[in-house]
Amino acid sequence: MTGTMRVPRSRGAFSGLMLVLLGLWGGLIPFVGPYADFAFSPDEPWHVTDDRLLLSVAPAAATVLGGLIVLAVANRAAAILGAWLAVLGGAWFVVGGPLSVLWNADGVGTPLGGEARQVAEQLGFFTGLGTMIVFFAALALGRFAVVGVREARLAEELAEHDARREEPWEAHPPAGSRPEGVTQPMARPQGRYALRPDQAPPAEPAEPADHRVAGEPGAGRA
């Protein structure tokens, strides 16, 4: 039903907000991470390379855009489209680095620091970040794919209302209105103005059942 395509904006509020925040993190951390010694080489703030744009900024932009769509729209189809866009962004965070060897990319560098920090950087920049994005995008997909009982009931009421509006005017005339040319019988006077039995109009004589004219065949027959 068409009415079930509308959903409350609050349905995707949490998932959309998390997708926006995760997308902003993924797009900014390669450039601001060096301020906190949390980066890949070269550890220079705001150092822009083609690989960083392709492997970090591009999926981050897709995630933020998808999150904004999930957060703002009230249409089921548009929200599902935004969630799928965020899924693609999160998946690219996970598989973009390994796939970049296909076009001989230099990559985003190597993680800095000790083993624990290197693991945290790998998770925070790519694999862990992408997994969380896919999780919240899938959560949004699940919520928008289900039609609630209240939404189905509201859609039925809207369909009935539209059906009544499309019916001819004669089927549901407004109260107090009558079609032209239709008269109503006059009400008999009541109370002091009512007619007494002796004032009742005389009844019209009934026509005889057999009225023949002289000269017609069978007029003189009994």
Side-chain angles (χ1 to χ4, degrees):
M1 291 183 294
T2 305
T4 57
M5 296 303 292
R6 292 190 60 83
V7 292
R9 287 188 175 89
S10 58
R11 172 159 298 188
F14 178 71
S15 300
L17 179 61
M18 292 302 300
L19 290 174
V20 171
L21 294 178
L22 291 172
L24 291 176
W25 168 274
L28 293 177
I29 191 63
F31 306 106
V32 300
Y35 289 114
D37 293 331
F38 188 76
F40 282 68
S41 61
D43 56 345
E44 300 177 4
W46 303 105
H47 181 74
V48 179
T49 63
D50 293 340
D51 293 329
R52 285 187 176 183
L53 293 177
L54 180 62
L55 301 177
S56 295
V57 176
T63 303
V64 171
L65 179 59
L68 289 175
I69 295 175
V70 171
L71 184 63
V73 302
N75 181 272
R76 190 183 304 275
I80 291 177
L81 178 62
W84 274 113
L85 184 61
V87 168
L88 295 177
W92 188 248
F93 271 117
V94 176
V95 303
L99 290 179
S100 63
V101 299
L102 296 177
W103 56 85
N104 298 322
D106 296 332
V108 294
T110 57
L112 303 178
E115 294 180 355
R117 195 171 75 176
Q118 290 181 9
V119 172
E121 289 167 349
Q122 187 65 41
L123 293 175
F125 277 68
F126 298 106
T127 54
L129 174 63
T131 302
M132 293 183 64
I133 291 174
V134 172
F135 169 77
F136 284 107
L139 182 63
L141 283 173
R143 289 183 61 82
F144 284 109
V146 175
V147 179
V149 177
R150 295 175 58 187
E151 298 171 11
R153 187 180 300 114
L154 179 61
E156 293 177 358
E157 294 176 356
L158 292 176
E160 293 177 358
H161 177 70
D162 294 339
R164 292 194 189 99
R165 293 183 60 184
E166 293 176 359
E167 290 182 0
W169 180 86
E170 292 79 1
H172 301 282
S177 62
R178 299 186 180 90
E180 296 182 1
V182 178
T183 59
Q184 299 295 331
M186 182 180 296
R188 293 183 178 181
Q190 303 292 334
R192 59 183 295 186
Y193 299 103
L195 297 176
R196 297 191 300 271
D198 58 346
Q199 295 178 341
E204 297 181 0
E207 295 183 0
D210 187 8
H211 182 72
R212 297 178 178 176
V213 181
E216 291 183 354
R221 298 178 184 177

